[in-house]
Amino acid sequence: GAVVSQHPSRVICKSGTSVKIECRSLDFQATTMFWYRQFPKQSLMLMATSNEGSKATYEQGVEKDKFLINHASLTLSTLTVTSAHPEDSSFYICSAATRDKIREKLFFGSGTQLSVL
Amino acid sequence: EDQVTQSPEALRLQEGESSSLNCSYTVSGLRGLFWYRQDPGKGPEFLFTLYSAGEEKEKERLKATLTKKESFLHITAPKPEDSATYLCAVLNYGGSQGNLIFGKGTKLSVKP
């Protein structure tokens, strides 16, 4: 099956710093990528939808100036958590959809555990 | 409001002890119901997509079924390696592909 690579898998940072998370589709071109966050024992919550070459669409309640998303190519999307605070600590997951299989399934990255001290 | 509820929250089984996980949903118009497996600290791994009531899909020891109100994930003779959190998600007609509505999952533990 298709592979989505996400890294880093784990990052610890100080409050006030910025953290960048990368999401790559390794063997297919992803016209659309999605970013989720997941708190312990909670559902995955969609944060934003990222389309190659255009601005991301953010879900209600997600600060676009805090969570910067860039989808510069068909295989790479990045999420930058700016001026991170302890409440931003969470598990962040990306996923990618292909044009042919968009109705069938998404392919998820392995996730990034962010801990803000 | 579209909603997905999974039960039980946690399930402990002995190896070989078959059981079922439940996913109840309310959605304005169902485009698809998805089952994923998630291991600790990992992203979800796709298992099945079901599109209409009465549909069934199987993969090794897993079988997913769908009715108009719920889906079941049946696990036959589970093994310790089946231990994981199983997530159910629905996609409605108004939602984009990524805007799946996820349940909180069922954490399955299979003891040898």
Side-chain angles (χ1 to χ4, degrees):
Chain A
V3 177
V4 175
S5 172
Q6 183 177 343
H7 77 273
S9 58
R10 180 178 293 272
V11 58
I12 301 172
C13 69
K14 292 182 178 180
S15 185
T17 60
S18 295
V19 174
K20 180 184 282 188
I21 303 169
E22 290 191 351
C23 180
R24 293 179 184 273
S25 55
L26 296 185
D27 54 359
F28 65 99
Q29 293 183 332
T31 53
T32 307
M33 288 185 171
F34 307 91
W35 288 94
Y36 303 81
R37 65 188 297 179
Q38 185 180 31
F39 292 105
K41 297 186 179 180
Q42 297 298 314
S43 307
L44 274 76
M45 297 299 296
L46 180 67
M47 297 174 65
T49 301
S50 168
N51 292 296
E52 185 267 335
S54 63
K55 290 184 178 180
T57 304
Y58 290 81
E59 297 299 304
Q60 192 172 11
V62 178
E63 299 176 59
K64 58 183 177 182
D65 293 332
K66 181 167 188 60
F67 299 100
L68 301 179
I69 292 172
N70 183 278
H71 192 160
S73 76
L74 287 172
T75 60
L76 174 64
S77 177
T78 60
L79 168 68
T80 301
V81 183
T82 63
S83 188
H85 288 100
E87 57 264 32
D88 298 324
S89 299
S90 184
F91 192 57
Y92 292 86
I93 307 173
C94 71
S95 68
T98 65
R99 190 178 295 277
D100 290 337
K101 297 182 179 180
I102 196 165
R103 188 169 185 267
E104 286 282 341
K105 54 191 175 184
L106 299 178
F107 302 99
F108 285 85
S110 55
T112 298
Q113 182 64 53
L114 172 63
S115 300
V116 184
L117 304 179
Chain B
E1 182 182 346
D2 296 339
Q3 192 168 294
V4 176
T5 304
Q6 290 187 248
S7 62
E9 186 175 313
L11 180 62
R12 292 187 177 186
L13 299 174
Q14 287 297 125
E15 185 172 2
E17 181 187 0
S18 301
S19 188
S20 295
L21 312 182
N22 177 266
C23 172
S24 298
Y25 64 90
T26 53
V27 64
S28 51
L30 183 70
R31 278 179 63 188
L33 184 142
F34 301 74
W35 281 100
Y36 291 89
R37 169 189 171 130
Q38 187 176 23
D39 292 300
K42 301 292 184 182
E45 175 188 343
F46 173 78
L47 293 175
F48 306 107
T49 309
L50 302 167
Y51 294 108
S52 57
E55 189 175 359
E56 298 182 353
K57 288 192 176 175
E58 287 188 68
K59 180 181 178 181
E60 296 179 353
R61 295 178 291 282
L62 300 177
K63 178 180 176 181
T65 62
L66 181 65
T67 72
K68 289 185 178 180
K69 294 183 179 181
E70 58 191 349
S71 176
F72 291 95
L73 183 65
H74 306 277
I75 303 177
T76 303
K79 297 182 178 182
E81 52 262 41
D82 294 322
S83 297
T85 295
Y86 290 85
L87 301 174
C88 171
V90 297
L91 180 65
N92 62 26
Y93 276 101
S96 65
Q97 172 67 13
N99 204 356
L100 295 173
I101 302 164
F102 281 88
K104 293 182 179 181
T106 293
K107 184 176 181 180
L108 174 66
S109 301
V110 182
K111 302 298 181 184

